Amino acid sequence: MAMPAARVLKLSLTHFRSYAAAHMAVGDGPVVLTGPNGAGKTNVLEALSFLSPGRGLRRAALGDVAQREMPESAAPGASFWAVSALVDGAVGEVRLGTGTEPGVEASQRRCRIDGEPASSANAFLDHLKVVWLTPEMDGLFLGPPADRRRYLDRLVLAVDKSHGARVNALERALRSRNRLMEENGAPRFLDAVEHEVAEIAVAVAAARIETVTRLGAQIAANRDEASPFPFAEIGLDGAVERLLAAHPAIEVEDRYRALLRDNRPRDRAAGRTLEGPHLTDFIVSHGIKRLPAARCSTGEQKSLLIGLTLSHARLVAAMQRSSPVLLLDDVVAYLDAERRVGLFEALARLGAQVWMTGADPDAFRALSLAERFQVTPGEIAPVR
């Protein structure tokens, strides 16, 4: 039986990137945005990505998202932007809105649900999950562990909406510990902050382990060695994660707390905490070749990443009983014809609403049921 799919029905942008104002209404099929490079296709996907927690698919500072050239009628300093969407989500139709306001600090993002203020974008997760893949992620397996850790935390957040708050709390607690060590704070103060660090660290690591375990099972259940997108073998490499594999969580808290205490001289000299989930790496290998992703070819890495994204979308659907909205930015451009068809077939089986961008309309020729839009600077028009 097909899984219900969350869908964006209407999208409105105001002073967002290259758009003074833009409106879209879409139906049931995949959404394809085509147009020349620099026309603003990715801006539309970025707007959709703001219907989830965080700083969007570009990780932009909120002040950089507002349209650079405001209209002459705008008041001085009135730099703001807004994204509004009518969504058919997990609990029915609802209007989600987010953005900044004139005269308000640009780093403060406002969120509304059906016109009522929401405490944060975390509240959007009750209605909609958004998963994305962008060209900037192509270097994920060759980049630093921090990039893979950020990618992993987005995977976790899609199935556990408290995860972002835990990760932020861990970062704050670690900053407090580092500051106390720098200032030669009293041991009793370090004991107190390390107690907090250990508690939050184990919760963060446990959530990551659970998601990676579930995702690994999802990959295994849908393993197809004939697929153009090879299955991945995934795991975690981190001190706390290794402890959790062998000991109960409460014991791991005590062990990690003792490790922090013993490592104070080394950490003080380094100016940072040298062990913990803030340094965990997300390990990915080519399942058929049993080769680390970093040693695979560029094409294999891209195919692995597409396969991971599809598996994650299936996991979200299975756990949340509703498929996420999937954003694929310029993904088909470097796929050969066979892999394009394979991707379109996989997306059809997934049943999620998919938004895709590309410069060449012919690249989407095999996607017969797609709704197509032509993007030109500042405008989005349906292709009739």
Side-chain angles (χ1 to χ4, degrees), residues 317-336:
M319 293 185 65
Q320 308 297 320
R321 310 305 300 171
S322 177
S323 295
V325 170
L326 192 56
L327 312 179
L328 302 179
D329 186 27
D330 207 24
V331 167
V332 305
Y334 303 103
L335 298 179
D336 57 36

Side-chain angles (χ1 to χ4, degrees), residues 196-215:
E196 180 185 16
V197 168
E199 184 176 328
I200 303 170
V202 169
V204 167
R208 288 172 176 165
I209 290 171
E210 181 176 2
T211 297
V212 168
T213 300
R214 289 178 180 272
L215 182 57

Side-chain angles (χ1 to χ4, degrees), residues 5-142:
R7 296 186 301 131
V8 175
L9 306 177
K10 295 180 180 179
L11 177 67
S12 297
L13 312 181
T14 304
H15 300 315
F16 186 91
R17 294 287 189 183
S18 55
Y19 299 98
H23 307 278
M24 297 178 65
V26 302
D28 294 332
V31 180
V32 172
L33 306 169
T34 57
N37 294 331
K41 303 182 296 297
T42 302
N43 294 346
V44 177
L45 299 195
E46 183 183 27
L48 290 165
S49 73
F50 275 110
L51 301 176
S52 64
R55 291 161 46 191
L57 57 79
R58 283 191 174 109
R59 291 186 50 78
L62 297 180
D64 294 339
V65 175
Q67 188 185 19
R68 289 190 178 90
E69 296 182 5
M70 299 293 286
E72 294 182 2
S73 58
S79 176
F80 67 96
W81 59 269
V83 174
S84 175
L86 178 64
V87 171
D88 184 6
V91 294
E93 285 194 13
V94 63
R95 184 167 290 280
L96 307 180
T98 188
T100 58
E101 298 178 358
V104 178
E105 176 61 39
S107 62
Q108 298 180 15
R109 177 154 76 108
R110 304 293 195 231
C111 298
R112 293 182 179 274
I113 299 176
D114 280 339
E116 296 297 323
S119 57
S120 73
N122 269 13
F124 292 165
L125 293 171
D126 291 331
H127 305 276
L128 180 71
K129 305 291 193 303
V130 184
V131 174
W132 60 75
L133 183 58
T134 70
E136 288 72 21
M137 295 163 66
D138 285 354
L140 183 71
F141 303 126
L142 299 176

